[in-house]
């Protein structure tokens, strides 16, 4: 995960291109700035028009590399999602949390409290949860891999909520087992 910090030019990051595409799980959408991937709408039962509306603007022509990577991911493959992301609209704390979450390996999980400790903010588990709720690039920053300390799923900001989180984790565990 690469990102530019708070010194990035906000005017430049405002010029984004939107892409809407079909995956094995349904319609997905992304917004890309000159810095990198700025938003991901994961497949969650929305049709193409709903995804376009959520992204705002007119979808661009072309197919950036992130589209193939996300299509591969939702097909159960294990692509490297180490692609540039634009987190200029995120706070310093959120960026610190996202850097730690991006390091959670495919098929594994970490607790909200564990991520808080890794981000040098012990006791900030709830704040980590709040950062996960506004993660602009789910899957690339795998917020679905952050769970409660007791192993429960915790929350997930998608149309289907924790059902989608559970499905993502199950897919990753299955493909991890198949790779062995």
């Amino acid at each position: 995960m690469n990102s530019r910090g708070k010194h990035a030019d906000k005017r430049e990051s405002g010029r984004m291109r939107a892409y809407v595409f079909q995956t094995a799980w349904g319609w997905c959408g992304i917004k890309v700035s000159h810095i990198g991937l700025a938003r991901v709408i994961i497949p969650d039962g929305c049709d193409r028009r709903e995804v376009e509306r959520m992204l705002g603007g007119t979808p661009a022509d072309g197919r950036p590399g992130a589209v193939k990577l996300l299509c591969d991911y939702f097909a159960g493959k294990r692509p490297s999602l180490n692609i540039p992301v634009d987190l200029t609209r995120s706070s310093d704390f959120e960026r610190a949390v996202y850097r730690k979450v991006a390091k959670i390996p495919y098929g594994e999980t970490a607790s909200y409290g564990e991520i808080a400790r890794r981000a040098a903010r012990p006791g900030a588990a709830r704040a980590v949860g709040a950062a996960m709720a506004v993660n602009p690039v789910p899957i690339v920053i795998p917020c679905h891999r952050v769970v409660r300390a007791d192993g429960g799923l915790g929350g997930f900001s998608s149309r289907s909520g924790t059902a989608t989180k559970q499905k993502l984790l199950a897919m990753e565990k299955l493909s991890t087992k198949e790779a062995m």
Side-chain angles (χ1 to χ4, degrees):
M1 176 188 72
N2 301 324
S3 66
R4 288 184 48 190
K6 63 184 174 184
H7 302 292
D9 185 336
K10 300 282 185 178
R11 290 169 297 160
E12 288 183 18
S13 68
R15 291 193 302 259
M16 296 197 201
R17 296 171 313 281
Y19 301 90
V20 177
F21 52 97
Q22 183 82 39
T23 72
W25 282 30
W27 289 100
C28 188
I30 61 173
K31 269 196 164 176
V32 181
S33 76
H34 75 285
I35 296 170
L37 191 62
R39 183 150 187 227
V40 174
I41 305 292
I42 63 173
D44 198 20
C46 295
D47 63 24
R48 181 185 182 98
R49 296 181 96 192
E50 289 176 284
V51 174
E52 287 175 357
R53 183 184 49 75
M54 286 188 273
L55 284 175
T58 304
D61 292 328
R63 192 171 161 100
V67 171
K68 180 179 181 344
L69 294 174
L70 288 167
C71 285
D72 286 350
Y73 175 85
F74 287 109
K77 299 175 184 174
R78 296 176 61 172
S80 169
L81 295 174
N82 187 19
I83 57 178
V85 295
D86 180 349
L87 299 175
T88 56
R89 291 182 168 94
S90 301
S91 71
D92 290 342
F93 174 75
E94 289 165 344
R95 284 192 298 273
V97 166
Y98 298 154
R99 280 191 294 276
K100 301 306 178 189
V101 171
K103 293 179 181 178
I104 302 171
Y106 186 95
E108 295 183 25
T109 60
S111 72
Y112 295 98
E114 190 175 337
I115 295 300
R117 286 188 294 282
R118 291 179 190 174
R121 294 288 300 271
R126 287 180 188 259
V128 168
M132 296 298 89
V134 296
N135 174 9
V137 288
I139 307 304
V140 177
I141 296 173
C143 53
H144 62 283
R145 296 181 192 151
V146 182
V147 297
R148 293 188 338 212
D150 66 4
L153 290 177
F156 195 63
S157 297
S158 75
R159 182 183 225 177
S160 300
T162 57
T164 299
K165 185 174 188 172
Q166 189 168 27
K167 186 176 173 183
L168 290 166
L169 292 172
M171 178 189 71
E172 288 187 7
K173 289 200 185 312
L174 178 65
S175 67
T176 300
K177 288 178 185 173
E178 289 174 354
M180 293 180 164

